[in-house]
Amino acid sequence: MKNPEQKFRARRLLVASAILTSGIAFGSLPGLARAADTATTRAGTAQTAKSKAHVGVDALIAHLHDELKITPAQESQFQKLADVMRANAETMRTMAKKRAEEAGTMTAVDDLKSYAEISRAHAEDSEKMVPVFEALYDSMSDEQKKLADQEFREHYATHHHHHHST
């Protein structure tokens, strides 16, 4: 059985995975990260974490569908986006699980390499999102585009990145 510190680190990594998944899914839209975070932090076992992460990404997808007011004509494009979101979520879940399992024996160098690997996967998965979201965005009405634009602006206003200076 893991000690409390290992459990905390594993849970923190799963939460980080949920947040990364949200970012991959759609630029970490507001509310989406909270949905994935809530689903993931309640996970107690690997199987529960997997099912909760699946529920989390589905909550993200449902949120997007509602917020962007997807029309029946846009449904097939939206489903392509949802498929990429689910695949990206699975990639991040798998990587976070591996990192959590190895956390107790990682050296500082291993930890940095693992972080770099997850960062690369995040960037690659984000690139996969661009064409499918762009096709959907191009089909949107001006009102829908404004909603999507606002979701992104709100995200970056509340989830700004911190840069370290020397």
Side-chain angles (χ1 to χ4, degrees):
M1 176 133 200
K2 294 180 181 177
N3 69 38
E5 175 62 24
Q6 287 174 318
K7 286 181 182 178
F8 174 78
R9 281 187 77 184
R11 182 162 290 175
R12 189 179 71 202
L13 290 170
L14 287 172
V15 170
S17 172
I19 291 167
L20 282 173
T21 299
S22 299
I24 290 167
F26 203 70
S28 298
L29 296 174
L32 303 183
R34 288 188 300 275
D37 185 43
T38 298
T40 306
T41 56
R42 292 183 182 158
T45 65
Q47 184 57 39
T48 302
K50 183 176 181 177
S51 65
K52 292 287 187 181
H54 183 72
V55 168
V57 75
D58 286 339
L60 305 177
I61 292 166
H63 173 82
L64 270 181
H65 194 280
D66 292 345
E67 287 297 309
L68 299 180
K69 301 179 182 180
I70 299 301
T71 66
Q74 296 166 329
E75 198 63 43
S76 67
Q77 288 174 315
F78 184 81
Q79 287 309 311
K80 290 176 185 175
L81 177 67
D83 290 344
V84 174
M85 291 170 68
R86 286 184 185 104
N88 290 352
E90 181 61 22
T91 298
M92 285 296 110
R93 187 202 65 76
T94 300
M95 293 183 85
K97 180 182 176 200
K98 179 183 178 219
R99 184 174 162 91
E101 288 169 350
E102 297 172 357
T105 59
M106 276 189 204
T107 66
V109 172
D110 294 336
D111 188 66
L112 186 58
K113 286 179 181 180
S114 174
Y115 179 78
E117 183 181 350
I118 290 172
S119 295
R120 270 191 304 279
H122 179 263
E124 289 168 6
D125 285 353
S126 295
E127 288 293 326
K128 292 174 190 175
M129 293 297 299
V130 172
V132 292
F133 178 69
E134 188 172 33
L136 176 63
Y137 188 86
D138 288 346
S139 77
M140 290 178 174
S141 68
D142 288 343
E143 177 189 353
Q144 288 174 303
K145 287 178 180 178
K146 286 179 185 176
L147 292 170
D149 296 344
Q150 185 171 343
E151 288 281 344
F152 277 91
R153 274 194 290 282
E154 287 176 4
H155 162 72
Y156 288 107
T158 59
H159 296 93
H160 61 279
H161 298 285
H162 298 283
H163 298 280
H164 300 281
S165 58
T166 55

